[in-house]
Amino acid sequence: MYRQFLLILILFVCTLVLGGQWVWNETKDELISQQETHIEKLSQYITSELDKFSHIPELISKDKELINALLTPNNSAQIEITNRYLDHVNEVVSAADTYLLDSYGTTIAASNWFLERSFIGKNFAFRPYFKDAIQGRESEYFALGLTSGLRGYYYGFPVVYAAEIIGVVVVKMELSAIESTWQQSQGAFIATDDNNIIFMSSEPSWLFKSLTNLPEDTLTQIRQSRQYLNADIEPLNATGDLTVSPSLLNLKDNNTNGEFLTLVERFPRAKLNLRSLVSTKHLYWSMINFAVIVALIFGVLSLLLLLARHRHLKHQQIDRIQAEAKQKLEFQVLERTAELQVEVRQRTEAEQQLIKTQGELIQAAKLALLGELSTSISHELNNPLAAIRSYADNGARYLIKGNSEQASENFSKITQLTERMANISQQLRSFAKKSDNTDLTYIALDPVLFSTKALLNPQLKSLNINLIEAAPSSYSVLANPIQLEQVLVNLLTNAMQEIKGLEKPKLTISLENSSDGWLFIHIDDNGAGVEEQKIARLFEPFFTTKDNGLGLGLSISRQIIDSFYGHLQYARSPLGGARFTISLLTAKD
């Protein structure tokens, strides 16, 4: 056994050394390949961006606005025309600035003539783009703007009149747009000049720093050229060969400290060197990941050996434990079976009690609702009683006078009024009847709606509310008719209490049928609706928006609809108030 472990250890060390070297080289090659692709794309992108502006100065140098301004620099009207023309050109080509220099390098017109940082009157004779262009050569140059302090790439071109150079037109492009495309998940990009000073970078903290320590005379020369204005050029103290690509560089300053794999590509047009830098941490992390994987693999092999060694012993222990466990399990099964029987009996009793309590609570809510309707129902019964008495007295007088035909008519009206009172009583008895929660069947909806309106008619009349009903339909829904009627009465009563006292109260019942077998009953009013912060708790037990409410009506209504396998939901009504929607399953054809 120990010899096997020693063999695994030797194999592990060899795999770690040889495999680690292979992983290092492969990861390095992959990073180099990726950076070569990135830097090539970046070079092409910079070229295309620079090409956008390279021909603009030459094109506008022949325009009469520029030539006239150089020939008559004291003509303020012509200068203003040229300023506006340059502003228009600058806007069309999306340049940073476009300006016109006379033969002495002084700006006489500029696109930014109306800004505080205007170039008008500034002299740029010291800039290389002016020196080259005034000699008749097309010029490109990068530097910090003397007025704006922003990095820019300048294009200069001579303005020729009668075979004589009379000025220079300059177009400036900002470099921030190019840098915005430099971000990548690994490493960074920089662009350095011939003195290895960083002019563009995807790492803003590296701007205007030099890769190496520059001699004092070089720094003096750079400051005198004013290419970087007064930028404090600090070194990144790079160690390594800057001329070799790819190579390893170590950078160290206050903000940067690390080793980087770098690639270099010369960009002759802009006299810049494009460099891609990727931290060697990626290489070391690859090594660490490889080492972890190898360690896990050999760890698993070691565990397998240990498992094999103890397998025989475990089999013996398992046989003994299984015998003990079997005996113990049989005892536990018997004990648990007895406990489960008691628990099942208790839960059955509790469930039956819950169903009974829920039914009693629904019945109590129904009777409470009848109590709320009692005043209007009493008024609805008193009117027929008074009419019956009046018709009876009149009928008796007609009989005494021998007018049997008029007396018969009065007695007929008494019969109609008693039938009306009987219908009201029948509605009350039907509504008050205690129903079974499990008594579900497909019922016609129209009779339930008719019965509901009949029950609420007295209260609707007393509150002067006109209930707009849905058109007669042939829908059948899965429900308990008495309990569905209770829910409808409860929701309509709530709506009536909400809109009573309004100048123009509106209350509607509408039906909507869906293609997937659902019927939606919408109850809408034009009241104030429910406040936003109270909607979430609207159907909770004992939560109420009324001053004297118990908060059980909506909770019980939702329980009833849930028992029908339906839904009760609240939404904002098209009428401006509340909308309660009952969703019920419809009978299939």
Side-chain angles (χ1 to χ4, degrees):
M1 176 60 70
Y2 294 107
R3 184 179 298 175
Q4 292 174 335
F5 276 112
L6 180 60
L7 180 62
I8 290 176
L9 181 60
I10 294 172
L11 186 60
F12 170 72
V13 172
C14 293
T15 303
L16 199 60
V17 173
L18 298 176
Q21 185 177 3
W22 177 82
V23 169
W24 176 278
N25 292 331
E26 286 295 315
T27 306
K28 181 178 178 181
D29 291 342
E30 183 179 354
L31 285 176
I32 290 172
S33 176
Q34 291 176 356
Q35 295 311 303
E36 285 176 344
T37 302
H38 288 318
I39 205 167
E40 182 180 355
K41 290 181 180 179
L42 179 59
S43 177
Q44 294 173 354
Y45 175 72
I46 293 176
T47 300
S48 66
E49 288 296 309
L50 296 181
D51 284 342
K52 290 180 182 179
F53 297 90
S54 61
H55 302 294
I56 301 301
E58 181 180 1
L59 290 174
I60 65 176
S61 67
K62 299 177 179 59
D63 293 340
K64 63 180 182 179
E65 288 84 353
L66 276 64
I67 295 174
N68 291 340
L70 289 169
L71 293 176
T72 59
N74 295 322
N75 186 339
S76 59
Q78 180 60 50
I79 294 299
E80 183 174 355
I81 291 173
T82 305
N83 283 332
R84 296 184 182 277
Y85 173 72
L86 292 177
D87 183 27
H88 176 70
V89 170
N90 196 70
E91 183 179 355
V92 170
V93 301
S94 300
D97 294 297
T98 305
Y99 48 103
L100 180 65
L101 308 178
D102 62 15
S103 58
Y104 299 102
T106 301
T107 307
I108 64 171
S111 61
N112 59 11
W113 57 276
F114 55 89
L115 300 177
E116 291 184 6
R117 64 174 186 86
S118 172
F119 293 168
I120 301 295
K122 301 292 179 64
N123 188 280
F124 298 105
F126 65 94
R127 289 297 201 191
Y129 60 76
F130 173 78
K131 293 178 181 179
D132 290 342
I134 204 66
Q135 297 297 323
R137 297 186 298 271
E138 184 178 358
S139 175
E140 295 183 11
Y141 182 69
F142 64 90
L144 283 175
L146 183 65
T147 303
S148 65
L150 301 176
R151 290 169 297 151
Y153 197 84
Y154 300 84
Y155 303 82
F157 198 85
V159 179
V160 181
Y161 178 75
E164 182 182 352
I165 297 175
I166 60 175
V168 173
V169 62
V170 182
V171 176
K172 177 185 176 182
M173 177 188 76
E174 284 190 1
L175 298 177
S176 56
I178 295 178
E179 282 182 332
S180 64
T181 65
W182 286 18
Q183 301 299 326
Q184 58 169 340
S185 58
Q186 294 182 346
F189 285 112
I190 61 174
T192 60
D193 62 11
D194 291 336
N195 292 314
N196 290 318
I197 297 175
I198 300 173
F199 189 70
M200 291 190 290
S201 173
S202 59
E203 293 288 340
S205 62
W206 290 355
L207 284 175
F208 311 123
K209 293 185 178 181
S210 62
L211 293 177
T212 58
N213 289 308
L214 297 177
E216 189 61 35
D217 57 342
T218 303
L219 289 173
T220 302
Q221 184 180 357
I222 293 171
R223 292 191 188 99
Q224 290 176 350
S225 71
R226 306 190 69 184
Q227 184 176 10
Y228 301 112
L229 300 182
N230 298 321
D232 188 11
I233 301 173
E234 299 177 353
L236 285 174
N237 301 306
T239 57
D241 195 341
L242 295 175
T243 62
V244 177
S245 178
S247 64
L248 293 176
L249 290 181
N250 283 285
L251 302 182
K252 184 176 182 181
D253 70 347
N254 294 333
N255 300 318
T256 306
N257 187 7
E259 184 181 43
F260 295 87
L261 177 65
T262 179
L263 277 73
V264 183
E265 181 170 332
R266 179 66 178 168
F267 199 71
R269 173 175 178 174
K271 297 179 182 179
L272 291 172
N273 295 312
L274 297 179
R275 294 181 182 272
S276 168
L277 295 94
V278 180
S279 175
T280 55
K281 291 180 181 178
H282 299 289
L283 299 175
Y284 291 113
W285 275 114
S286 298
M287 291 287 295
I288 291 172
N289 291 336
F290 174 75
V292 170
I293 292 173
V294 171
L296 288 174
I297 292 173
F298 280 91
V300 170
L301 290 176
S302 300
L303 288 175
L304 289 175
L305 285 176
L306 287 173
L307 289 173
R309 182 174 183 274
H310 294 291
R311 187 173 183 179
H312 180 68
L313 293 175
K314 284 189 175 182
H315 276 304
Q316 293 179 345
Q317 293 175 353
I318 288 172
D319 290 341
R320 179 173 52 84
I321 292 172
Q322 282 181 342
E324 295 176 357
K326 184 178 180 181
Q327 183 179 3
K328 185 177 181 180
L329 182 61
E330 290 176 352
F331 175 76
Q332 289 178 342
V333 168
L334 292 175
E335 185 180 26
R336 184 57 181 161
T337 301
E339 293 176 355
L340 287 174
Q341 290 176 348
V342 174
E343 185 176 345
V344 168
R345 185 172 64 255
Q346 291 175 345
R347 290 195 178 187
T348 302
E349 293 174 355
E351 184 177 352
Q352 292 174 350
Q353 184 64 33
L354 178 61
I355 294 173
K356 180 181 178 181
T357 303
Q358 187 178 25
E360 292 176 352
L361 185 60
I362 292 173
Q363 183 68 13
K366 191 187 302 183
L367 296 177
L369 191 58
L370 283 175
E372 294 181 11
L373 300 174
S374 60
T375 301
S376 55
I377 293 173
S378 174
H379 179 73
E380 186 71 8
L381 291 175
N382 285 335
N383 287 340
L385 285 173
I388 288 172
R389 180 174 181 178
S390 176
Y391 284 133
D393 291 343
N394 290 337
R397 293 190 187 99
Y398 287 135
L399 288 175
I400 293 172
K401 294 179 180 181
N403 191 348
S404 60
E405 182 179 350
Q406 192 67 35
S408 175
E409 183 178 346
N410 278 20
F411 294 144
S412 177
K413 290 181 179 179
I414 291 173
T415 302
Q416 294 175 0
L417 288 173
T418 55
E419 289 178 354
R420 176 181 171 187
M421 293 175 64
N423 287 335
I424 294 174
S425 299
Q426 177 61 32
Q427 291 290 336
L428 291 174
R429 286 195 301 271
S430 175
F431 185 75
K433 180 182 178 182
K434 191 171 183 179
S435 60
D436 188 355
N437 291 345
T438 61
D439 185 16
L440 294 181
T441 183
Y442 284 99
I443 60 171
L445 182 61
D446 277 359
V448 177
L449 295 176
F450 177 80
S451 177
T452 300
K453 184 178 180 182
L455 193 62
L456 292 176
N457 260 334
Q459 191 170 3
L460 289 168
K461 290 180 181 178
S462 66
L463 295 177
N464 196 26
I465 296 173
N466 181 28
L467 174 61
I468 301 175
E469 297 180 86
S473 66
S474 59
Y475 295 126
S476 295
V477 294
L478 181 64
N480 180 305
I482 296 176
Q483 291 186 349
L484 178 57
E485 181 182 337
Q486 178 184 354
V487 172
L488 291 171
V489 169
N490 186 45
L491 295 178
L492 289 168
T493 301
N494 287 346
M496 287 189 288
Q497 292 176 354
E498 182 67 23
I499 62 176
K500 68 179 180 181
L502 294 181
E503 184 177 350
K504 293 181 178 180
K506 293 181 181 179
L507 182 61
T508 67
I509 299 179
S510 57
L511 304 179
E512 180 184 351
N513 191 25
S514 70
S515 59
D516 54 354
W518 288 92
L519 180 67
F520 304 105
I521 306 173
H522 301 300
I523 298 176
D524 294 275
D525 64 63
N526 65 335
V530 181
E531 297 178 9
E532 190 70 28
Q533 61 270 25
K534 295 181 180 180
I535 293 176
R537 301 186 57 199
L538 192 59
F539 295 97
E540 291 182 5
F542 305 108
F543 177 79
T544 180
T545 58
K546 303 176 185 177
D547 294 336
N548 57 350
L550 295 177
L552 291 175
L554 289 177
S555 174
I556 292 174
S557 296
R558 171 170 275 190
Q559 292 180 32
I560 292 174
I561 298 302
D562 287 346
S563 70
F564 300 165
Y565 307 104
H567 309 286
L568 175 59
Q569 296 172 312
Y570 168 82
R572 195 69 182 177
S573 172
L575 300 179
R579 162 174 280 192
F580 286 90
T581 299
I582 302 172
S583 308
L584 298 173
L585 289 169
T586 57
K588 296 182 179 179
D589 296 337

